[in-house]
Amino acid sequence: RQAAAAAVQFDLLLILTKPVIPLFMLIALGQVLNGLFTSLFIGHALRRWVPQMSYEAHHLMCSFFGVVHTLLGVTSSQVEDYANREGKKILHLAWTWSFKDVLSVVHMCQLGATVTAMSALGNEPSYAASFASGIALRIALGQDSIKGLGLFKGASTWIEANMKDLGVSLDAAEEVVAYSGQGIGDCAGGPFRMLFGDGPQAQLAAMVLKTWLLLIPVLSTMQWLQRAFHAGKMIGRRWKMTRFVQRAALAILGLMQCVLIARCELNASNGALGNFWVAMLFGCAGESLLSTYDIRGTVRQVLFLLLFLFI
């Protein structure tokens, strides 16, 4: 596992951080430098200065970027609009579904298939499921039941104020995380009611799809629970506490995601982030299928190059 983690760490970090770097440059320098030079510098930094992380840390990184994926990315049009503003400049970040999000699903599938091909058992937790758990956490934090809590309300106010001080504003954040479930949001119908009408066939189709989407996230969650249990029995040895905390965190994120999937109404109107979440859950199945092939070597290199160029 550690050898597999070492093999994919550069691919993982370079592509995950690529959409974020322009935002940091825009805030710090007021402009975005040539992407070729920044990519060369970042690639050198990732190879030389970033220590080797465990495979649990890689999954946590996927979850983290699943949370911030629709927050920190900046498009060329937003950069141009920011550069043309006069007076006090505010960078308005508004995420919309794009082809780059589809490539993010492909990236997770490629990483998971590579690690699985190098593992002894050929049965590792899904990278796409870990990224999807981060998206699920973002959706959960955006719900009124969570936002109304005193701790989260104060934290969100503090983060929003500090981001505005930096010249960054998040637009349409609430509409993006709209979530339908428990009879809320299904008045307008959905894809299955459009196909099968208002009868029981639409409900059955939605239930079958939800059950299918749950399979790999549930499997990954059970794997993290088992590994956290074994790591917990070895607490006291070197690094074992760190490994236990990482695995327990991934298991908790997986459990939360499974609960959200079970409560989600697929046959209703959801926000754009919910649609991206479902696409990443489909990516879990794509990763599982791709894991049955050995994509190491030329195939992986070509796929990595294409993802790097278009994300």
Side-chain angles (χ1 to χ4, degrees), residues 16-302:
L16 285 181
T17 56
K18 185 184 176 184
V20 180
I21 299 303
L23 175 61
F24 290 161
M25 287 193 296
L26 202 59
I27 294 174
L29 305 176
Q31 61 180 342
V32 177
L33 303 178
N34 186 287
L36 175 61
F37 296 108
T38 56
S39 297
L40 291 174
F41 174 77
I42 294 168
H44 176 78
L46 292 176
R47 289 189 183 278
R48 298 290 184 179
W49 302 333
V50 177
Q52 177 59 47
M53 296 184 291
S54 64
Y55 70 97
E56 293 96 345
H58 286 180
H59 281 272
L60 286 173
M61 287 287 292
C62 292
S63 299
F64 171 76
F65 278 94
V67 175
V68 303
H69 174 81
T70 59
L71 293 175
L72 300 183
V74 59
T75 63
S76 57
S77 60
Q78 291 169 334
V79 172
E80 183 179 357
D81 179 67
Y82 180 83
N84 294 332
R85 290 179 182 270
E86 297 181 356
K88 184 178 180 179
K89 296 183 177 181
I90 299 294
L91 178 61
H92 295 272
L93 298 181
W95 175 78
T96 55
W97 178 271
S98 68
F99 181 64
K100 292 184 178 181
D101 299 304
V102 179
L103 294 180
S104 297
V105 179
V106 178
H107 181 215
M108 291 297 108
C109 295
Q110 182 248 348
L111 287 174
T114 302
V115 172
T116 301
M118 298 179 65
S119 64
L121 295 178
N123 183 23
E124 293 296 318
S126 170
Y127 274 74
S130 296
F131 195 100
S133 67
I135 301 176
L137 178 60
R138 165 85 194 285
I139 293 174
L141 293 177
Q143 304 310 304
D144 292 336
S145 57
I146 301 296
K147 292 173 62 177
L149 298 177
L151 177 63
F152 289 98
K153 188 175 182 180
S156 62
T157 303
W158 180 82
I159 292 173
E160 184 177 355
N162 281 271
M163 291 188 70
K164 285 188 175 180
D165 291 339
L166 293 173
V168 179
S169 176
L170 300 177
D171 295 342
E174 294 185 358
E175 291 82 357
V176 167
V177 297
Y179 173 81
S180 299
Q182 303 296 309
I184 299 175
D186 59 354
C187 298
F192 296 106
R193 288 171 66 180
M194 178 185 68
L195 293 173
F196 302 109
D198 291 330
Q201 295 88 350
Q203 297 180 358
L204 179 62
M207 184 179 300
V208 170
L209 177 61
K210 185 189 297 186
T211 303
W212 182 73
L213 291 176
L214 263 172
L215 292 178
I216 295 182
V218 167
L219 176 61
S220 295
T221 302
M222 293 176 64
Q223 288 176 311
W224 288 125
L225 283 171
Q226 182 196 37
R227 295 180 183 185
F229 174 75
H230 287 299
K233 294 192 298 183
M234 302 179 69
I235 290 179
R237 303 183 183 182
R238 187 181 182 185
W239 306 118
K240 296 303 179 182
M241 176 59 75
T242 301
R243 182 168 295 179
F244 169 75
V245 172
Q246 290 174 336
R247 293 177 177 181
L250 289 166
I252 292 172
L253 287 172
L255 287 171
M256 179 210 61
Q257 175 173 231
C258 292
V259 171
L260 279 183
I261 297 174
R263 292 171 57 90
C264 179
E265 178 56 66
L266 296 179
N267 198 24
S269 299
N270 292 282
L273 191 59
N275 298 330
F276 180 42
W277 180 37
V278 173
M280 190 60 71
L281 293 175
F282 272 100
C284 295
E287 178 184 341
S288 178
L289 176 62
L290 199 60
S291 297
T292 59
Y293 302 92
D294 190 350
I295 66 168
R296 293 175 292 179
T298 306
V299 175
R300 172 172 169 265
Q301 294 172 358
V302 172

